[in-house]
Amino acid sequence: MRRTKTLLMGDLLDEFFKRPYVAAKVAEGKLPDTWREIVGERAAAETTELRLDKHILYVRLRSSVLRSELFYQREALREEINRRSGIRIVNAVIIR
């Protein structure tokens, strides 16, 4: 509570969502949407599992051709996910 300066609700929420733990949880919750934006609708439809465990993103795909293609783009995928999330949530991507 402040007595000298009024704090707007929007400012309070911005501060709250910028906290590292909260920002990481929000980014983790948005991960399926972020994945869909990065790889596209067709590749996202072939994704059967998308799981984040200890900063490692596990991706399971139905298509072997798509699996091979994305396997070679793992580093770019990791960088793009982290860039779009605004926080480093993925250290490695494992494609199966």
Side-chain angles (χ1 to χ4, degrees), residues 59-73:
V59 180
R60 187 173 302 271
L61 300 164
R62 282 187 287 251
S63 169
S64 61
V65 175
L66 182 60
R67 188 179 314 122
S68 295
E69 180 69 30
L70 291 180
F71 177 81
Y72 293 110
Q73 297 179 14

Side-chain angles (χ1 to χ4, degrees), residues 58-93:
Y58 296 93
V59 180
R60 187 173 302 271
L61 300 164
R62 282 187 287 251
S63 169
S64 61
V65 175
L66 182 60
R67 188 179 314 122
S68 295
E69 180 69 30
L70 291 180
F71 177 81
Y72 293 110
Q73 297 179 14
R74 289 173 299 159
E75 293 300 315
L77 289 169
R78 178 186 57 84
E79 290 175 11
E80 186 63 16
I81 290 169
N82 289 332
R83 185 187 71 76
R84 289 183 187 222
S85 298
I87 188 167
R88 186 178 181 93
I89 63 167
V90 176
N91 290 337
V93 177

Side-chain angles (χ1 to χ4, degrees), residues 32-59:
D33 294 331
T34 304
W35 177 257
R36 183 174 300 281
E37 291 171 4
I38 293 170
V39 298
E41 292 294 323
R42 299 282 294 220
E46 293 295 318
T47 304
T48 59
E49 179 186 3
L50 193 64
R51 180 174 49 95
L52 186 64
D53 185 29
K54 297 180 183 177
H55 298 285
I56 298 174
L57 180 62
Y58 296 93
V59 180

